[in-house]
Amino acid sequence: MLGERVPRFAFHSCVRGEVQSQAAVRPPVSAQVQEEQNRARKAARLEYLQEIAHLVAELQTMRSRDIPVVSSKLELLQTSETAQEYFEIHDKVVKYIRPHHNWYPVISKIEKVFNPEQRRKFCEVAKDLQDPTNKALKFHGCDANAAASIMDEGFRLPSHNRNMYGKGVYFASDSSKSAQDIYTKGSNMLLVCEVLLGKPWTVSSAMGMKEMDRDKVWRKGFDSVFAPRGSKQTGGVENDEFVVYDPRQAMVKYVVHFHSVELQNAPCLLPGGENALSIVRHTLKPKREFNLHDSHDMHFRIVESQFLRLENASRGMLTSLEYVLNPSLIAKFNCTRDAFARQGHGHEILAFHATRTPENIENIVRNNFNQSFIGSATDSGWWGRGFYFSEFPSVSLGYGGNLLLCRLLPGKTFDCQERMDGQPLTRGFDSHRVQADAKGRAQELVIANPDQILPCYILHLSELARR
């Protein structure tokens, strides 16, 4: 049984628990200002009493009923009566991303968590806090097993004192901090928790804090510890951290499922983490100057190099290209790459695809290749049913004058020796390869699964090059 203390609500502004003399740190205030401060203290006291009354009433209601002791979850949807709540949590995640964390999420699902037993404990401990009115939604990252345990049984205190601020449960204001792999262990889950911060003890240094626990914090007259951003130089932290030392002071309200998008040069080419769900397009032009740190020029040279390296008979030139970043497609591609890698086939290649109209290119970069269109423009596929690519631009340009360069995951490849008109890909294989050269580069490559394809570059060629 956790110990109890008599709550003492105070309208406070002291730091590190030191009660400072007002005369020593504040200049004399006018009667008007003093009157306003007194009104504020009375309003805060009234708010405290109202919160206590609400907590007592809620606890009485709970005690009169049989409440479940396990959690339940409700998926929030964008197109139902839960849409407003969905977007509130979605926005809280994407708007609290710090660029230096290099985290670009695509949110796949948001679930609201209900656990009446944890709510009861939450209300019970709130009555004992210095300030039960101060509660906020904060982020917590953990692995999948820990997340399931927390939702069902609540948070637990660590058994060691190795953490910066002692034996507590840690939370962050920034989603990108809690979503780091060191915390999530690949779970791709982020917990959004309601945390009773109460009266926080603001500390600018972690020195001497490793032995901190609930009793020590409470004896100082505080309910939690707040380590503010920008205090790293004084032994603190780079981003806000909050620590509670009684696990009843936090409960999971939402679980956010996501995929992390890995975008090379994303800090330069994808503006702001909060826009990570939007398609971004950059028109790139060749430059005479060479700058290794110019991400735009580097991407142009990558595509130009691939085009010219494999097109020995090219009669024209690349006039410009568009580098397209579609986080939704990137997330699916990365998931497929990870799955292939576990099977030993996670390598990538670059290959070309051409179409007859610019509209087709636009549809592809927005929505990826559509399986329902297979065979609609030409035939059902000499070398199997799927989407056709070539590692040689001249081959692809035979199908149309609008050219894409894509990242592909060939996976386990079957070398076609005979025509397979319209037949599905050979069982047990992820692609078909036709007429490979000595280095394995294919005249034609057939892929049926769009998630193995990531359209990246739209190439604009001179008229001579398209003939």
Side-chain angles (χ1 to χ4, degrees):
M1 179 70 179
L2 293 171
E4 296 183 356
R5 62 175 179 168
V6 178
R8 177 183 56 81
F9 182 81
F11 188 81
H12 58 86
S13 61
C14 55
V15 177
R16 288 186 172 274
E18 298 173 1
V19 180
Q20 301 175 2
S21 166
Q22 289 190 7
V25 296
R26 297 183 185 142
V29 296
S30 66
Q32 182 178 1
V33 172
Q34 184 66 49
E35 182 181 354
E36 183 176 354
Q37 290 178 349
N38 289 336
R39 287 199 304 270
R41 290 188 180 94
K42 290 179 181 178
R45 175 67 180 175
L46 178 60
E47 185 177 342
Y48 164 74
L49 294 173
Q50 290 173 336
E51 181 67 17
I52 291 294
H54 174 77
L55 290 168
V56 170
E58 186 172 353
L59 283 169
Q60 288 175 344
T61 301
M62 288 183 175
R63 287 166 184 156
S64 65
R65 300 175 181 174
D66 291 329
I67 60 174
V69 295
V70 296
S71 64
S72 56
K73 297 190 287 292
L74 171 69
E75 183 175 356
L76 304 183
L77 302 176
Q78 304 179 42
T79 55
S80 70
E81 65 275 5
T82 62
Q84 177 259 338
E85 192 171 9
Y86 173 92
F87 284 112
E88 277 191 5
I89 301 305
H90 176 281
D91 289 352
K92 184 170 182 64
V93 173
V94 301
K95 290 182 179 180
Y96 283 86
I97 294 175
R98 298 294 175 184
H100 61 271
H101 288 141
N102 293 320
W103 183 59
Y104 303 94
V106 175
I107 295 174
S108 56
K109 182 167 65 172
I110 300 176
E111 296 173 301
K112 187 172 184 178
V113 179
F114 300 88
N115 191 319
E117 174 63 14
Q118 285 191 40
R119 175 67 188 175
R120 182 185 65 77
K121 294 178 180 179
F122 187 83
C123 293
E124 283 182 343
V125 74
K127 296 192 294 85
D128 294 334
L129 298 186
Q130 298 285 346
D131 181 4
T133 66
N134 183 20
K135 45 196 169 185
L137 291 179
K138 298 296 176 184
F139 297 104
H140 183 84
C142 58
D143 63 41
N145 290 334
S149 175
I150 291 168
M151 285 186 276
D152 280 341
E153 303 172 13
F155 285 95
R156 297 178 183 177
L157 294 177
S159 58
H160 56 79
N161 286 343
R162 294 192 295 271
N163 295 329
M164 284 182 69
Y165 300 98
K167 294 176 66 171
V169 185
Y170 288 65
F171 300 90
S173 294
D174 300 314
S175 58
S176 55
K177 178 177 177 63
S178 295
Q180 298 297 289
D181 283 342
I182 190 175
Y183 306 119
T184 62
K185 305 293 192 300
S187 68
N188 286 343
M189 297 167 65
L190 191 62
L191 302 184
V192 183
C193 305
E194 187 173 5
V195 184
L196 273 166
L197 300 172
K199 182 181 176 183
W201 175 18
T202 302
V203 296
S204 59
S205 172
M207 186 177 297
M209 296 291 291
K210 281 198 172 184
E211 300 299 320
M212 197 57 58
D213 59 22
R214 188 207 65 171
D215 291 339
K216 291 175 183 176
V217 172
W218 280 23
R219 280 198 296 269
K220 288 179 175 291
F222 296 98
D223 303 314
S224 64
V225 162
F226 169 48
R229 73 196 75 174
S231 60
K232 194 168 185 177
Q233 290 184 339
T234 59
V237 292
E238 188 170 4
N239 303 105
D240 292 346
E241 285 199 32
F242 299 83
V243 189
V244 297
Y245 299 86
D246 188 325
R248 298 176 299 169
Q249 284 178 238
M251 63 178 182
V252 180
K253 293 289 287 183
Y254 305 92
V255 55
V256 178
H257 301 262
F258 63 88
H259 296 299
S260 296
V261 178
E262 298 176 11
L263 300 176
Q264 286 75 21
N265 296 312
C268 300
L269 296 174
L270 189 65
E274 66 272 14
N275 295 322
L277 297 178
S278 302
I279 296 175
V280 180
R281 184 177 307 213
H282 300 273
T283 299
L284 313 180
K285 301 280 187 179
K287 297 180 179 179
R288 184 181 182 189
E289 299 79 17
F290 177 78
N291 182 352
L292 188 61
H293 302 291
D294 184 341
S295 298
H296 293 78
D297 192 38
M298 289 302 101
H299 278 285
F300 186 94
R301 290 174 184 268
I302 288 170
V303 178
E304 182 180 48
S305 170
Q306 189 74 11
F307 179 81
L308 297 177
R309 182 186 303 166
L310 297 175
E311 178 56 303
N312 296 327
S314 177
R315 300 175 301 242
M317 64 175 293
L318 179 65
T319 59
S320 69
L321 68 89
E322 294 176 74
Y323 176 34
V324 182
L325 302 170
N326 186 328
S328 175
L329 301 188
I330 294 170
K332 294 176 182 178
F333 183 83
N334 286 343
C335 285
T336 305
R337 182 194 59 202
D338 293 343
F340 279 16
R342 289 192 290 271
Q343 300 169 11
H345 304 290
H347 63 286
E348 294 183 31
I349 64 168
L350 292 173
F352 297 94
H353 177 88
T355 73
R356 295 176 179 176
T357 68
E359 290 76 19
N360 290 342
I361 294 284
E362 189 67 25
N363 287 333
I364 290 170
V365 297
R366 288 188 174 278
N367 307 304
N368 216 338
F369 289 81
N370 189 332
Q371 291 175 320
S372 65
F373 292 165
I374 294 175
S376 61
T378 53
D379 51 55
S380 58
W382 279 21
W383 308 108
R385 183 176 178 81
F387 307 107
Y388 278 65
F389 301 85
S390 176
E391 294 180 71
F392 300 91
S394 59
V395 175
S396 292
L397 285 171
Y399 292 91
N402 300 275
L403 196 60
L404 274 172
L405 182 62
C406 304
R407 290 167 62 185
L408 300 182
L409 293 165
K412 189 175 180 182
T413 301
F414 177 80
D415 283 300
C416 286
Q417 305 297 331
E418 299 178 353
R419 283 179 56 169
M420 301 177 59
D421 296 77
Q423 296 181 39
L425 296 190
T426 304
R427 187 172 182 177
F429 292 88
D430 306 301
S431 63
H432 284 177
R433 182 171 59 177
V434 182
Q435 297 178 3
D437 66 10
K439 295 184 178 180
R441 299 175 299 196
Q443 291 287 317
E444 304 236 31
L445 191 70
V446 188
I447 289 177
N449 179 8
D451 292 344
Q452 292 174 234
I453 307 165
L454 183 60
C456 294
Y457 304 98
I458 304 173
L459 285 70
H460 297 282
L461 309 177
S462 65
E463 186 63 31
L464 187 61
R466 286 186 287 163
R467 291 178 185 172

